[in-house]
Amino acid sequence: MRRHEKGSAAHPYDVVIAGAGPVESRTTRRERARPAPEANQMVQRRPAGAVLVAGAVIFFLAELIAAAAWTDPPYSYTHHYISNLGVRGPLEALGQFMNSPLAWVMNTGFFLFGIMFFIGVAALKGLRSWRRWAALSLGALVALGGVLLAFNPGSGEPPDGAVDYHGLGAFASIVGGNVLVILLGRQRQQIGVAPKAGRAMVVLGVFGLASMVAFLAVASSGTNVLIGLVERCAVYPILVGFIRAGASIWRRRTCARSGGRGRDIPTTDAEATASLSLHHRDARRAWSE
């Protein structure tokens, strides 16, 4: 063991042990023991992740419950529009028979889906400048779409001269939702989403937008060939994308690997204090030897 040369400003604990390399300085140890700012932000984001997952799950459950109650004739996920589940009926429109016994369940699902997605996006931390405003604007568009769907259950054939608020709500939710999934997937590092989940979100959003184009093409043709399936290819990527994002945010640990050395960064004040005390004890032991 040897001390620093005379005149050095280093702390007495800054020693070198033969064969063991230099002992870290007190400042370096304090910096390493300090909780990572990003880790603390991840703790704050976990409720946002839970809300995003809950919004998607509510939509799926509302659709499943309303479809199960529609038995005469049985509801078809590949043939019928999703919006049919919110029409009490009975009536015929767009070449389809609409008669949903639990229409209120689906309409409640539309409403909660939009509102909860907006709350979840607004609760996300890490987005800066125009990215945050873009996310909030798209989240508001999804929320508005959900509200319009819920309070304007429509057959898709409004009276002449009337505004099809239901159609506008569906368009806003699908387009805004898929673009939002892409944006958040691209900003995965800022919102605490794992790389694999972020890449999946981008792919899902692009697939959803492409399916929206296909849906409009099939709907305008009047053939109704697998129209329900094509519509779900445009809607489900939004739900799955938000589930991936929310689950990734919730699962990620608040500790990160530091500098590739395989040592966890303390994530609480107690852990940081314990880590700092341990470093001091080791340094004193090395000095006494």
Side-chain angles (χ1 to χ4, degrees):
M1 179 183 70
R2 62 182 177 82
R3 300 174 181 267
H4 285 277
E5 296 180 0
K6 187 176 182 180
S8 172
H11 192 274
Y13 287 167
D14 295 346
V15 297
V16 177
I17 302 175
V23 177
E24 293 176 340
S25 67
R26 177 179 294 179
T27 302
T28 302
R29 289 193 300 271
R30 187 178 294 111
E31 290 297 327
R32 283 174 174 263
R34 183 174 300 164
E38 184 179 357
N40 290 334
Q41 290 178 3
M42 287 184 184
V43 174
Q44 297 171 2
R45 296 189 194 113
R46 295 184 75 179
V51 174
L52 291 177
V53 173
V57 171
I58 286 174
F59 186 101
F60 278 129
L61 286 177
E63 183 185 21
L64 179 65
I65 293 171
W70 184 332
T71 59
D72 186 24
Y75 181 84
S76 172
Y77 271 66
T78 59
H79 174 69
H80 289 106
Y81 293 95
I82 298 176
S83 296
N84 291 9
L85 293 171
V87 179
R88 183 64 183 89
L91 59 85
E92 290 188 17
L94 300 176
Q96 296 190 358
F97 177 73
M98 304 179 185
N99 183 24
S100 179
L102 293 181
W104 68 270
V105 173
M106 190 68 249
N107 291 325
T108 302
F110 284 142
F111 179 82
L112 293 178
F113 143 80
I115 297 300
M116 294 191 73
F117 273 2
F118 177 75
I119 294 174
V121 171
L124 289 174
K125 304 294 183 182
L127 295 174
R128 296 291 183 266
S129 63
W130 67 268
R131 294 175 181 84
R132 176 164 179 78
W133 288 109
L136 289 175
S137 298
L138 291 169
L141 189 62
V142 174
L144 176 62
V147 172
L148 289 176
L149 288 171
F151 289 99
N152 296 277
S155 63
E157 294 182 346
D160 293 340
V163 178
D164 183 9
Y165 290 107
H166 187 87
L168 289 177
F171 186 81
S173 294
I174 295 175
V175 175
N178 280 298
V179 175
L180 180 57
V181 167
I182 295 174
L183 173 64
L184 296 181
R186 296 274 295 177
Q187 301 300 315
R188 60 175 180 78
Q189 291 181 327
Q190 284 70 31
I191 63 174
V193 171
K196 185 176 180 179
R199 291 190 293 269
M201 291 171 65
V202 174
V203 173
L204 286 167
V206 172
F207 178 76
L209 291 176
S211 298
M212 179 63 180
V213 176
F215 168 72
L216 292 175
V218 175
S220 61
S221 68
T223 59
N224 279 346
V225 176
L226 298 178
I227 189 67
L229 177 62
V230 179
E231 182 185 26
R232 284 172 171 82
C233 287
V235 174
Y236 285 2
I238 304 171
L239 307 177
V240 176
F242 279 119
I243 289 177
R244 289 298 303 269
S248 179
I249 292 172
W250 183 262
R251 285 197 307 264
R252 293 197 74 181
R253 300 294 89 186
T254 57
C255 60
R257 297 292 178 177
S258 61
R261 300 187 181 188
R263 186 172 65 84
D264 289 339
I265 297 177
T267 58
T268 65
D269 291 340
E271 292 175 357
T273 302
S275 178
L276 186 58
S277 299
L278 181 61
H279 283 306
H280 284 175
R281 185 194 67 186
D282 293 341
R284 291 191 186 96
R285 182 180 301 171
W287 175 256
S288 63
E289 294 174 356

